[in-house]
Amino acid sequence: MSRHPHPVHGATEVLSADLSDKEQTIRAVAGSAIVYLLVGLKYDHKLWAEHWPKVMANAIEACKRASAKLIFFDNVYMYGKVSGAMTEETPFIHAARRGRSA
């Protein structure tokens, strides 16, 4: 699913949707068992602050309605600068604006 979808090898269906629109997101997720959230927005902190909470809330709501599992690939901004290996126990540092919670 994409705003401007292109055929993908192995995909059974290709849909167009805007994840900032709740109803479009619900329709796109309907019938899914697993949803991979791999969203890219323009690299602009104001745009992310405005759109990301809507995208995430819509994806969660759509998955709840479809009884689908949501798999989300996140970034590592919330860890700040880390020395050494990162693990599940690495603490959140929030050293930069991109790593802070809204």
Side-chain angles (χ1 to χ4, degrees):
M1 194 273 306
S2 170
R3 284 189 198 186
H4 309 287
H6 301 283
V8 177
H9 178 72
T12 57
E13 186 176 16
V14 178
L15 303 170
S16 175
D18 178 350
L19 295 180
S20 66
D21 182 286
K22 186 176 184 176
E23 295 306 315
Q24 286 187 43
T25 307
I26 290 167
R27 283 193 300 274
V29 170
S32 298
I34 300 172
V35 174
Y36 295 89
L37 183 59
L38 306 163
V39 175
L41 297 173
K42 182 179 175 184
Y43 200 69
D44 175 319
H45 72 277
K46 291 178 183 176
L47 183 114
W48 274 83
E50 179 183 344
H51 290 283
W52 184 248
K54 290 183 225 174
V55 168
M56 184 56 84
N58 292 343
I60 291 169
E61 179 61 25
C63 287
K64 284 180 180 179
R65 291 185 187 203
S67 297
K69 292 183 181 192
L70 176 61
I71 298 174
F72 169 58
F73 293 87
D74 203 351
N75 59 54
V76 295
Y77 290 130
M78 71 286 245
Y79 295 108
K81 188 172 183 176
V82 175
S83 294
M86 296 173 79
T87 70
E88 290 83 0
E89 288 78 35
T90 301
F92 296 164
I93 296 173
H94 306 288
R97 178 185 313 167
R98 291 178 293 213
R100 285 188 221 121
S101 299

